[in-house]
Amino acid sequence: MNILKYRFSLTCLCVLLSLMLLLQSCSHEPGVWRNDEIQNGLRKDLHKLNDELLTALKAGDPKQMDEMLSAELLESGQLYREAHLLSLRMKNDTYKLLADFYIVHEKRGLNQVDGNIDGNKFTLSYDALMQDMYIAMFVPQKAVEKMMITAVYYKYNYGWKLFLLNEGRYTENNQTAPQLLKRALSQYNKHQLVDAVLTTNMAHDCLRPNEMWHYPIDDHTHATLGKAISEANQAYKFPFTLTQAPTHPRIIHISNKITSEGTFPVIYYLSTVKVSDTTALKRENEMIQQVIGQAIPGIDQDKKYVYYTAYNEMPNYHKAVDSFEMIERVK
């Protein structure tokens, strides 16, 4: 009899512990759960929302999302243009979930959560409108210039609904802003001033993949890259004559060019060779390619292409100016 009582008591204890664990897992205590930390059942339901969203976006029919939208978003109608632009980009790539957050707020108002993706730390700062919030971030799998899609859901009294959807640049040349800044510092230390500035500009483009996102950029990085920009402006005053080339073309501008294969420098210059004479212009450009690394250290290194655009007169906004574009495949 005592053994039966013992077994019965042990069974009751196990049931009690199971109930306590269940209640604990379903508690509504404030907190942040990232990725696999999100309770499996809940995450499955939230991922179903994501699947419906991505399917509607890829179909190019924003009206399919009407039942998913919060009353505010549905009333404003702001989503439809954004969704149309997203659908155009999604037709040529497959998007995957990069990171997600389930957040239970202690109170409404300004809030912050920290994240870390592949060693890149960031903070999300936002105004919490509801107690329960879910944030999902998606990136394309093939593109080297990854435009992040961010979806923000709140749990209303009428269910989980989409509150915000936007897109921002996450990487260029498959590198995030912190990685690009690190590369820019390395280029500056090698006295590759123009490359350092171009890479810094790329990093700047990737600093805010969504409106909540903030990277912790230290003061030393800010100061060093500011110094690189200042030194580059002193060293290269445009128009900059390329004296190493026999025809002395004048470089008027250098910037980044985003292509389907990546982001590469494009050098704009004034030539005395008629742009209509493309054969002669290509011969001149071959000479430019041979000496450009002497005049601008690093510009023809560690990249797949350098683009060139030649003019006979200074381009301006008031009239069309003829030009000719050429591409150097860097060896």
Side-chain angles (χ1 to χ4, degrees):
M1 188 68 179
N2 291 337
I3 293 175
L4 289 174
K5 285 183 178 180
Y6 174 76
R7 287 178 177 172
F8 180 76
S9 300
L10 185 61
T11 302
C12 290
L13 180 61
C14 290
V15 171
L16 182 60
L17 287 173
S18 297
L19 285 172
M20 290 175 63
L21 288 172
L22 180 63
L23 289 171
Q24 186 178 14
S25 66
C26 297
S27 68
H28 217 59
E29 291 296 319
V32 181
W33 292 265
R34 301 166 179 83
N35 307 315
D36 292 338
E37 296 172 356
I38 303 172
Q39 188 181 355
N40 190 48
L42 174 61
R43 198 176 193 214
K44 184 178 179 180
D45 292 339
L46 294 172
H47 283 193
K48 185 178 178 182
L49 288 177
N50 293 336
D51 292 341
E52 292 173 359
L53 173 64
L54 293 178
T55 298
L57 286 173
K58 196 155 191 174
D61 184 8
K63 289 294 183 181
Q64 290 186 19
M65 294 185 291
D66 280 358
E67 292 187 3
M68 303 177 60
L69 307 185
S70 65
E72 301 94 329
L73 197 54
L74 191 60
E75 183 179 351
S76 70
Q78 293 179 351
L79 176 71
Y80 298 124
R81 182 177 179 277
E82 182 79 19
H84 175 69
L85 296 174
L86 290 176
S87 68
L88 294 176
R89 194 185 297 275
M90 292 179 70
K91 290 187 184 303
N92 298 318
D93 213 329
T94 301
Y95 278 68
K96 66 175 182 179
L97 182 67
L98 180 68
D100 55 350
F101 298 77
Y102 169 59
I103 307 163
V104 178
H105 301 108
E106 185 173 359
K107 58 183 179 180
R108 297 184 183 184
L110 296 178
N111 199 63
Q112 287 188 339
V113 297
D114 295 327
N116 188 323
I117 299 176
D118 297 330
N120 292 320
K121 296 180 180 180
F122 60 93
T123 299
L124 300 176
S125 302
Y126 59 91
D127 190 9
L129 302 181
M130 296 288 169
Q131 185 177 26
D132 287 38
M133 182 182 190
Y134 175 62
I135 304 171
M137 304 165 187
F138 311 90
V139 293
Q141 295 193 59
K142 294 187 294 186
V144 293
E145 180 211 4
K146 296 190 187 301
M147 299 295 289
M148 176 188 287
I149 296 175
T150 301
V152 177
Y153 305 84
Y154 281 118
K155 188 176 183 181
Y156 296 85
N157 56 12
Y158 49 95
W160 282 102
K161 297 295 177 181
L162 186 67
F163 172 77
L164 176 70
L165 180 71
N166 65 22
E167 182 184 50
R169 188 170 287 115
Y170 178 59
T171 68
E172 283 190 33
N173 289 349
N174 274 327
Q175 292 187 306
T176 60
Q179 292 169 328
L180 289 166
L181 289 174
K182 184 178 179 180
R183 179 182 170 196
L185 290 172
S186 174
Q187 290 166 333
Y188 173 71
N189 291 332
K190 297 174 185 176
H191 203 65
Q192 297 173 350
L193 298 178
V194 172
D195 260 12
V197 173
L198 293 178
T199 305
T200 300
N201 290 340
M202 291 166 60
H204 184 268
D205 291 343
C206 301
L207 278 175
R208 300 292 297 274
N210 61 52
E211 59 190 38
M212 303 176 289
W213 193 291
H214 300 276
Y215 281 116
I217 308 301
D218 61 76
D219 292 339
H220 170 72
T221 299
H222 272 298
T224 304
L225 294 177
K227 189 177 179 183
I229 293 170
S230 177
E231 290 181 19
N233 288 334
Q234 289 295 319
Y236 303 98
K237 295 185 180 297
F238 300 116
F240 171 75
T241 302
L242 195 62
T243 56
Q244 294 89 342
T247 53
H248 288 190
R250 292 181 295 157
I251 298 173
I252 55 176
H253 185 59
I254 303 174
S255 63
N256 288 317
K257 181 181 180 70
I258 297 176
T259 76
S260 60
E261 295 187 64
T263 302
F264 308 103
V266 53
I267 299 172
Y268 301 89
Y269 65 93
L270 294 173
S271 174
T272 56
V273 179
K274 296 294 184 184
V275 294
S276 57
D277 188 352
T278 58
T279 301
L281 203 62
K282 288 177 182 178
R283 283 199 300 266
E284 179 192 50
N285 188 255
E286 287 174 358
M287 291 187 290
I288 293 173
Q289 293 177 22
Q290 292 173 14
V291 300
I292 193 68
Q294 301 172 28
I296 308 173
I299 198 69
D300 58 349
Q301 296 177 18
D302 302 321
K303 51 187 67 75
K304 191 173 182 179
Y305 302 110
V306 177
Y307 284 77
Y308 297 87
T309 300
Y311 298 91
N312 289 145
E313 58 180 299
M314 189 73 74
N316 62 73
Y317 294 104
H318 304 292
K319 68 172 184 177
V321 176
D322 291 336
S323 64
F324 187 71
E325 186 177 273
M326 291 154 283
I327 305 173
E328 175 188 4
R329 182 181 286 273
V330 179
K331 297 177 181 178

